């Protein structure tokens, strides 16, 4: 049996490149950019007033209650006006072009209105309240690097430079397949010996977080129907993500079916808990990669995070972040397995502190909903309270 590190390395060696596709701006959210985004013009594109007030030409006496007659109004969205002389002002709104020959903006709060003019009531600095053309970014500056994750703030940048269509990394086409005669649909009432399917829905939801719309399938524990279905799915999908049917049970048919279908086994079983019976392989000619996770919900869930997500990140050209948290209690691993332990985390004196979530084992999927992530303990690793440990988040930390 191979170690977790070795298994992860073998999974990462199978990272792929699915190319690029052009998507509408709003559909780019959560995707990985495949192009470098440059400024199509200066940011801002003109000398922009940052306040509502008056634009003046800074000159002698502005600090001494100087009065300016109003000669016009510059509204945001209107072409540039011209300030005719130093004794007049043009009212200027936030976002409007500063009038030609004006060089300073005084906000209304620092003015006293008087008939057709304004008197300055506060000291003025030459050039104040103007966001100069190109002072944020210059035309052709790089605004977003390729391989950037598009979050809402990136959507704003893309919109500003006119990207109604965005080139992003193409995502793999994925079939999520649950296996097991004991499983019934969510809307059914299970008999005593049955349970409702959960893994395929969890995996489907996890993939949705990655903007992947997976198709869900179910297979009974029956080798002929498994073989026929997997054979056709191999041709249709980039990834088959299975749960169940890879352990030592009498009805765990997947490893032999993969073998019969010419799927190359890269490894089966890893020195880890949960998720030990993980089967990983690929079909050379169809270029399909198979992540076949053991059926226990916690095993499937942990393996998705520790293998599939790093694989997806590498495939999309992004690095998987390394997180470290601190232990709120001593933990020791006396086994020769890599352990993934569900923890809840909270802030304590500026540090993220991990506390073990109570669980009865790999079947306890309710415990997962209490966990912020898994800590990873190496074989035979003993850590004392306050010790730092590698952390794999499984949800947004709030
Ligand atoms: P297996 O890996 O097929 O031996 O399954 C291990 C355990 O996980 C069994 O108790 C199964 O009933 C359970 N299990 C397998 N697949 C699923 C699933 N899709 N949803 C919920 N539980 C499952
Ligand atoms: Mg099973």
């Amino acid at each position: 049996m191979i170690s977790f590190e070795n298994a992860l390395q073998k999974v990462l060696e199978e990272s792929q490149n699915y190319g690029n596709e052009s998507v509408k701006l709003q559909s780019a959210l959560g995707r990985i950019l495949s192009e470098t985004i440059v400024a199509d013009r200066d940011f801002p594109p003109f000398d922009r007033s940052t306040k509502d007030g008056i634009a003046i030409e800074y000159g002698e006496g502005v600090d001494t209650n100087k009065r300016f007659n109003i000669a016009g109004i510059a509204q945001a969205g209107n072409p540039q006006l011209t300030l005719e002389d130093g004794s007049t002002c043009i009212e200027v709104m936030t976002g409007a072009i500063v009038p030609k020959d004006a060089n300073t903006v005084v906000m209304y709060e620092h003015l006293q209105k008087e008939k057709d003019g304004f008197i300055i009531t506060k000291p003025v600095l030459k050039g104040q309240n103007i966001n100069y053309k190109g002072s944020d970014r210059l035309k052709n500056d790089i605004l977003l690097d390729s391989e950037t994750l598009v979050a809402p703030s990136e959507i704003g940048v893309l919109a500003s430079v006119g990207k109604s269509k965005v080139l992003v990394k193409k995502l793999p086409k994925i079939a999520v397949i649950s296996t097991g005669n004991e499983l019934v649909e969510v809307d059914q009432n299970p008999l005593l010996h049955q349970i409702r399917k959960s893994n395929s829905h969890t995996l489907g939801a996890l993939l949705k977080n990655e903007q992947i719309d997976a198709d869900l399938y179910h297979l009974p524990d029956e080798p002929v129907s498994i073989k026929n279905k997997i054979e056709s799915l191999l041709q249709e999908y980039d990834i088959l993500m299975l749960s169940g049917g890879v352990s030592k049970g009498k009805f765990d048919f997947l490893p032999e079916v993969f073998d019969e279908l010419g799927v190359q086994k890269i490894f089966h079983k890893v020195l880890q808990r949960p998720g030990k019976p993980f089967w990983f392989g690929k079909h050379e000619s169809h270029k399909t990669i198979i992540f076949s996770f053991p059926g226990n919900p916690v095993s499937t869930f942990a393996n998705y995070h520790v293998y599939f997500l790093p694989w997806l990140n590498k495939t999309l050209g992004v690095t998987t972040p390394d997180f470290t948290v601190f232990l709120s209690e001593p933990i020791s691993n006396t086994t020769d397995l890599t352990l993934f332990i569900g923890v809840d985390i909270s802030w304590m004196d500026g540090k993220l502190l991990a506390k073990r979530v109570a669980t009865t084992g790999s079947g306890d999927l309710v415990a997962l909903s209490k966990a912020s992530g898994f800590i990873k303990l190496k074989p035979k690793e003993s850590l004392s309270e306050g010790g730092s440990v590698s952390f794999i988040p499984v949800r947004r930390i709030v």
Side-chain angles (χ1 to χ4, degrees):
M1 221 181 301
I2 64 173
S3 69
F4 166 71
E5 309 299 339
N6 198 346
L8 177 60
Q9 190 191 333
K10 287 182 187 298
V11 168
L12 293 178
E13 278 165 14
E14 299 304 325
S15 67
Q16 304 289 307
N17 182 354
Y18 295 111
N20 310 317
E21 64 180 335
S22 175
V23 298
K24 284 190 187 152
L25 174 63
Q26 285 302 330
S27 307
L29 185 65
R31 303 289 297 269
I32 306 295
L33 276 182
S34 230
E35 58 176 327
T36 303
I37 302 298
V38 296
D40 64 332
R41 59 207 293 229
D42 290 343
F43 275 47
F46 49 81
D47 293 346
R48 184 179 73 94
S49 175
T50 64
K51 292 283 183 340
D52 298 316
I54 60 169
I56 58 169
E57 188 193 345
Y58 184 93
E60 250 178 55
V62 284
D63 294 332
T64 55
N65 295 332
K66 187 167 176 179
R67 186 197 142 96
F68 292 88
N69 285 329
I70 303 167
I73 295 189
Q75 187 183 356
N78 281 358
Q80 188 178 34
L81 299 177
T82 300
L83 186 68
E84 296 298 343
D85 62 74
S87 68
T88 61
C89 67
I90 288 177
E91 286 186 79
V92 67
M93 305 301 125
T94 304
I97 304 194
V98 174
K100 189 163 178 299
D101 297 334
N103 59 13
T104 300
V105 170
V106 185
M107 61 176 165
Y108 284 131
E109 291 85 337
H110 294 175
L111 297 169
Q112 189 185 312
K113 180 91 204 303
E114 204 186 57
K115 280 203 196 129
D116 302 329
F118 286 100
I119 292 174
I120 291 184
T121 60
K122 287 261 165 66
V124 175
L125 285 174
K126 187 179 179 185
Q128 71 183 22
N129 299 328
I130 297 173
N131 186 198
Y132 287 99
K133 179 179 189 296
S135 62
D136 296 343
R137 296 290 183 276
L138 291 172
K139 183 176 175 171
N140 295 326
D141 274 358
I142 293 178
L143 305 183
L144 301 173
D145 287 315
S146 188
E147 270 87 46
T148 297
L149 170 67
V150 179
S153 52
E154 280 73 31
I155 293 282
V157 175
L158 292 164
S160 298
V161 298
K163 298 295 295 183
S164 57
K165 288 282 195 70
V166 186
L167 199 65
V168 293
K169 302 269 173 171
K170 220 167 167 176
L171 296 164
K173 196 172 172 212
I174 302 187
V176 168
I177 308 152
S178 56
T179 66
N181 286 356
E182 73 278 29
L183 302 172
V184 299
E185 295 299 333
V186 175
D187 58 3
Q188 285 178 15
N189 264 333
L191 300 172
L192 181 66
H193 54 277
Q194 296 176 322
I195 56 167
R196 294 193 184 94
K197 289 173 196 171
S198 64
N199 285 344
S200 37
H201 297 290
T202 308
L203 290 173
L206 287 167
L207 290 166
K208 212 167 200 175
N209 270 347
E210 306 307 318
Q211 319 307 319
I212 296 173
D213 278 321
D215 295 324
L216 308 192
Y217 296 91
H218 181 74
L219 293 173
D221 290 322
E222 197 281 300
V224 177
S225 34
I226 293 181
K227 187 175 173 187
N228 291 339
K229 190 64 191 174
I230 302 266
E231 188 167 26
S232 78
L233 295 177
L234 278 172
Q235 297 171 44
E236 216 185 311
Y237 289 91
D238 300 312
I239 305 289
L240 304 189
M241 188 178 284
L242 297 105
S243 67
V246 284
S247 307
K248 274 217 161 71
K250 288 254 153 54
F251 303 95
D252 291 333
F253 297 118
L254 286 176
E256 70 188 59
V257 167
F258 292 144
D259 189 43
E260 286 168 24
L261 290 172
V263 184
Q264 181 201 334
K265 178 179 87 175
I266 296 172
F267 61 82
H268 184 197
K269 299 199 176 105
V270 186
L271 287 162
Q272 67 174 80
R273 190 163 67 216
K276 184 165 146 190
F278 176 35
W279 193 103
F280 182 69
K282 64 176 173 189
H283 194 285
E284 275 301 347
S285 54
H286 296 315
K287 301 247 169 294
T288 312
I289 295 178
I290 289 97
F291 289 83
S292 205
F293 301 137
N296 268 316
V298 183
S299 305
T300 289
F301 192 75
N303 278 342
Y304 173 92
H305 287 91
V306 301
Y307 293 109
F308 176 75
L309 272 189
W311 174 91
L312 182 66
N313 285 338
K314 189 163 178 223
T315 289
L316 299 178
V318 298
T319 27
T320 301
D322 276 330
F323 292 109
T324 298
V325 294
F326 298 87
L327 291 171
S328 66
E329 58 202 330
I331 295 189
S332 66
N333 176 7
T334 53
T335 72
D336 55 2
L337 310 172
T338 297
L339 300 184
F340 298 103
I341 299 168
V343 293
D344 186 21
I345 58 169
S346 56
W347 286 103
M348 177 76 86
D349 301 330
K351 283 181 173 179
L352 279 174
L353 219 59
K355 194 171 185 337
R356 211 192 274 238
V357 167
T359 177
T360 57
S362 306
D364 187 5
L365 81 164
V366 181
L368 287 179
S369 74
K370 317 280 181 227
S372 316
F374 295 101
I375 53 168
K376 184 179 87 181
L377 286 193
K378 296 184 191 121
K380 306 279 186 211
E381 186 175 32
S382 272
L383 293 166
S384 44
E385 183 185 331
S388 68
V389 65
S390 166
F391 175 71
I392 299 123
V394 299
R395 62 176 74 236
R396 204 180 327 169
I397 311 294
V398 285

